[in-house]
Amino acid sequence: GGDLWIMDTVLKKPVQVTKGTIDHETECMFSKDDRAIYFLRDNGLGVNIMRATRADPAQPWWLNTEFKVEALTDDTHTRNNLGLSPDGETLSYTKDVFALKLSDKNGKNERHLVDGFSQIYYDWAPDSKWVCATLKDTADNYDIWILSTDPEPAAPPYNLSRHSDYDMGGTWSPDGSKIAFFAERGVERELDIHWVYLRQED
């Protein structure tokens, strides 16, 4: 029904977290310490980042009946593709479709990472220092890019796939040594999985 619910995996009794609004909630995820849930709320004017916490932190989520819900952003911009860095310190999201943004986990200190010409898809590196992003250029071509998330970037954006055919869905390996992605190659233009070794010793 467009609301946020929480449920344990044993008794499986859902508890409603958000109620009393006609807003639509999507893209929920736990904080790294499990003390909060981040999600997006669409009120018809904008899509903003919200945070829910337990009224009684001493009790597990599913034994709470009341929750504190606060807005981390409050404007008329549209956000989607909400993410959280592996270290739990940085929120990531696309804003107004074509811009990838980062902010502190409290929604403050928003900064711009990259623009695209279509919806941007991305994945965090395990060390939280980089993202790989699928970006579309003016020639209607998608490539996989590596972007530093440091406020003072350690390196400029790097086009990893560098190919005129379709490349999409970049994903880091758990150890951060490779990036895999879908790519069209060859005469038949088959969509296959490709991967790139990132460490020189590999």
Side-chain angles (χ1 to χ4, degrees), residues 63-191:
L63 285 181
N64 274 261
T65 57
E66 299 295 330
F67 302 89
K68 177 184 177 182
V69 178
E70 56 186 324
L72 302 186
T73 64
D74 184 16
D75 54 42
T76 57
H77 291 284
T78 299
R79 296 169 179 84
N80 61 354
N81 284 358
L82 182 64
L84 184 66
S85 61
D87 63 10
E89 296 300 315
T90 305
L91 289 169
S92 54
Y93 45 91
T94 53
K95 187 174 181 180
D96 299 329
V97 181
F98 302 125
L100 181 57
K101 303 285 188 177
L102 304 177
S103 73
D104 298 342
K105 61 183 178 181
N106 60 4
K108 306 299 183 184
N109 300 316
E110 181 183 82
R111 53 194 174 88
H112 182 74
L113 192 59
V114 71
D115 285 311
F117 290 91
S118 183
Q119 178 66 64
I120 299 173
Y121 302 94
Y122 66 93
D123 188 50
W124 279 94
D127 64 4
S128 300
K129 296 180 180 179
W130 310 85
V131 296
C132 63
T134 302
L135 300 176
K136 182 180 180 180
D137 60 24
T138 55
D140 200 33
N141 179 54
Y142 288 91
D143 275 309
I144 307 298
W145 289 75
I146 298 178
L147 308 162
S148 172
T149 60
D150 196 298
E152 298 181 2
Y158 182 78
N159 188 339
L160 184 69
S161 53
R162 287 179 286 176
H163 200 277
S164 57
D165 281 333
Y166 179 88
D167 302 291
M168 175 66 79
T171 304
W172 293 81
S173 63
D175 65 357
S177 69
K178 293 179 286 293
I179 290 176
F181 58 94
F182 297 113
E184 286 182 344
R185 297 290 187 270
V187 177
E188 300 298 327
R189 297 179 63 82
E190 293 181 343
L191 192 63

Side-chain angles (χ1 to χ4, degrees), residues 4-5 7 11 13 30 38 72 86 123 162 177 200 202:
L4 179 67
W5 296 70
M7 184 179 72
L11 299 178
K13 294 183 177 180
F30 282 102
Y38 298 104
L72 302 186
D123 188 50
R162 287 179 286 176
S177 69
Q200 191 167 12
D202 294 331

